[in-house]
Structure formats: C-alpha cells, structure tokens
Amino acid sequence: MSPTAVTTPKRDYRGRFAPSPSGPLHFGSLVAAVGSYLDAKVNQGKWLVRIEDIDTTRVVKNADTDILNTLQAYGLYWDESVVYQTQRLSLYQDVVTSLIDEALVYGCRCSRKQIKAIGGIYQGHCKTLNLPTEQGALRLSQKYPTTHFSDLIQGDITVNSALAYEDYIIKRSDGLFAYQLVVVIDDIEQGINRVVRGADLIEPTARQISLFKQLNKPTPEYAHLPLAVAEPGFKLSKQNYAPAISISNPKPALIDAFAFLNLPVHAQLHDLTIEQLIAWAINEFSLTKVPRIPEIQISQEQHLNSTKFIHLSK
C-alpha cells in the first residue's frame, strides 16, 4: 500500500525537532530539522524544539547552545520555549509510579550480556519473581504490542513481532529513564500530533505507539524521512563523527537539504537570503514529494556542498 495521502492542511498541527546534545548538528540532523519544520509550516502549525538530554552519559557540554544557534542560523525558529528532558524528571517519575500502582511495571535484574546470550530479546525471566521496583531496571508489561503501522512517507510498516511483544525497559538500572518512555510522555505533554524524523527510528515507533495506547492517549501521525548515509546502512551520525554543518555559511547546506528532500532546487536560489530560502521551501515542500525510501546515499563531496545523491533501498 502506498503512503497515506497528505493533501490538505492538518488542523492544529504541532510538530517537533528533538535533537540529543551529544554534539553539533550534521547534515543528517539538518535534513530532519528542515523536513519537520517545513511540514509544520506547510500546515500552518507549531514547530517545537526539545533537547533530549535524558541520557546524561552522552551529553556534551554546550552542545545544546550550539544546536540552538545553528537552527537559528539556518532560519529555523521554534514557536514555544525549548524543553529539556532533564528538567522534567518528576513528570516521568509520576507516570512510572502510576504504572507501578497499576501493576504494569516490574523489576528486572537481567544484564544486557545475559539477554544477548539468549538471542537479544528479553524473554520475561523476571516477570514473576516479584523483584523490588525501588532498585534495578524497570520493565513495562507489554499489553498493546504493535507489529504494523502506517507511515506518511514509508507506507505500511511491519516490525519484528518478537520486539513488539517484548517487555522493554522504561527505567534503567542506573536510575536514568529510558528514551522509549520519555519521548512518549513528552509528546503527550506537548500535544504533538505529527512526528517527522529520520527512518532510523521506524522500529522504535512501534513501541511508542504501544505506549500511547497503554497510557490511553492519542497517537501522533508519523512520517519517517530517508536517512542520509555515507554508504548503504551507514548513516551520518554524531557517533560516526559526521562533520558539523557550518553556522557561518549556512546557505549551501540548507539548499542541499532541500535537494535531499526532493525540492526543485536551482542555481538562482543562491542569490536569496536565508529567510527567502525558507519561504521558497515552504511554498514548494510536501511530504508526498519526499523519496519513499529509507536511505539516500550522499557522495563524499556532499560536505563540500554537492547536491548529488544516490537513491537506495527502494
């Protein structure tokens, strides 16, 4: 089945860009920022920025400030105050406590090594042991496994059923709340109704949909943009030391991001200001124009602002 048609503006649109402050923005994260921003503005909606710093072990000092300054340099201005996950710990704990009270959470002492040894999927070993929830990891009893969902770009998605049924961790043994939990709570609290992000998050989406159902809250629409990859299966990322995009000279990379999203770029765009480029892109953008593939390979010259892309994984 083809992706859901997106032809009329979505009412009361609320979208977001949610980078982790583990380093500066690279071209792949720029594509996600631009795609989510343009979709929000095409729908006359709100575009929020959320700093996902819940995993404090990966936070780089001042990376959040650098990210926010970069977004502004590229003409991407958020509509409400920036939210930091580390400022919302009490909200997350309230939800966890509520789930514990409903007997939907249990303690687990299985290590990653132990789970890897049995194939990488947790098999519910601790579910009936009545371990204390005050220490160790906490797992959510999966009541609404999701194996299929519809994506506005990628179409009908089927995920690994074993993962869909797995009781996954919502609070780690080191006391940190898990991404799968906090991203859903944040989207609920901020009223997010469409999530536009990279295709590397397609599989986690199934668990997030399940948690929305578990919490009896509306599920956002999802649109997963193709990933920018240096070679098949090797995405640009901070962990892979992808080079940072320029703050002082944003125009070339911004135009490259437009080309990546299949906008009809042309040479005259280089004569426009950043504000004019954004206005042009809003007029041209549509989710229906985005390539319906999970990856697009960029040439080695991409970081020198080449707009030549190789479409992969049809």
Side-chain angles (χ1 to χ4, degrees), residues 43 131-132 135 166 175 188 225 246 261 273 278 294:
N43 286 278
L131 298 173
Q135 58 187 5
E166 183 182 37
I188 291 170
L225 304 166
S246 172
L261 294 169
T273 65
I278 293 294

Side-chain angles (χ1 to χ4, degrees), residues 146 149 157 159 163 168 179-180 183-184 197-211 222 224:
T146 298
F149 66 91
I157 302 296
V159 299
L163 284 174
Y168 59 87
Y179 165 78
Q180 297 285 25
V183 68
V184 170
R197 60 188 181 185
D200 54 325
L201 292 170
I202 286 178
E203 191 169 79
T205 297
R207 284 183 172 175
Q208 291 162 28
I209 291 172
S210 296
L211 186 52
Y222 288 93
H224 287 91

Side-chain angles (χ1 to χ4, degrees), residues 11-25:
R11 291 188 58 188
D12 302 319
Y13 183 112
R14 290 178 66 81
R16 46 79 162 178
F17 175 60
S20 61
S22 55
L25 295 184

Side-chain angles (χ1 to χ4, degrees), residues 14-17 46-51 68 77-85 87-88 189-190 192:
R14 290 178 66 81
R16 46 79 162 178
F17 175 60
K46 299 290 187 180
W47 187 70
L48 283 60
V49 171
R50 179 166 73 226
I51 301 297
L68 297 177
Y77 297 95
W78 46 96
D79 294 307
E80 297 179 7
S81 298
V82 175
V83 165
Y84 287 73
Q85 290 179 328
Q87 297 173 354
R88 300 156 67 84
E189 195 277 335
Q190 293 187 286
I192 302 301

Side-chain angles (χ1 to χ4, degrees), residues 129-262:
L129 299 183
N130 296 316
L131 298 173
T133 56
E134 295 78 22
Q135 58 187 5
L138 297 180
R139 290 187 181 270
L140 178 70
S141 292
Q142 181 59 271
K143 301 297 184 182
Y144 297 92
T146 298
T147 57
H148 300 83
F149 66 91
S150 180
D151 188 272
L152 295 176
I153 296 174
Q154 304 295 337
D156 285 347
I157 302 296
T158 299
V159 299
N160 184 325
S161 59
L163 284 174
Y165 281 84
E166 183 182 37
D167 290 348
Y168 59 87
I169 289 175
I170 60 170
K171 193 172 185 181
R172 295 169 14 178
S173 58
D174 59 7
L176 296 179
F177 294 101
Y179 165 78
Q180 297 285 25
L181 173 79
V182 300
V183 68
V184 170
I185 296 175
D186 289 336
D187 283 345
I188 291 170
E189 195 277 335
Q190 293 187 286
I192 302 301
N193 52 27
R194 182 176 292 174
V195 176
V196 180
R197 60 188 181 185
D200 54 325
L201 292 170
I202 286 178
E203 191 169 79
T205 297
R207 284 183 172 175
Q208 291 162 28
I209 291 172
S210 296
L211 186 52
F212 278 106
K213 294 176 181 178
Q214 188 93 49
L215 299 174
N216 195 29
K217 298 296 183 179
T219 301
E221 296 176 322
Y222 288 93
H224 287 91
L225 304 166
L227 290 179
V229 298
E231 57 186 70
F234 190 83
K235 72 170 184 173
L236 298 183
S237 70
K238 297 167 189 174
Q239 290 78 15
N240 293 331
Y241 306 103
I245 54 175
S246 172
I247 294 182
S248 61
N249 184 29
K251 192 181 298 185
L254 184 60
I255 294 174
D256 279 353
F258 294 162
F260 187 95
L261 294 169
N262 207 27

Side-chain angles (χ1 to χ4, degrees), residues 19 31 46 48 66 91 102 108 122 139 207 220 225 236 238 269 272 277 292 301 308:
V31 167
K46 299 290 187 180
L48 283 60
D66 181 79
L91 172 62
E102 296 174 37
C108 178
Y122 173 73
R139 290 187 181 270
R207 284 183 172 175
L225 304 166
L236 298 183
K238 297 167 189 174
L269 291 179
L272 301 182
L277 282 170
R292 299 175 180 180
E301 293 78 21
K308 296 179 180 178

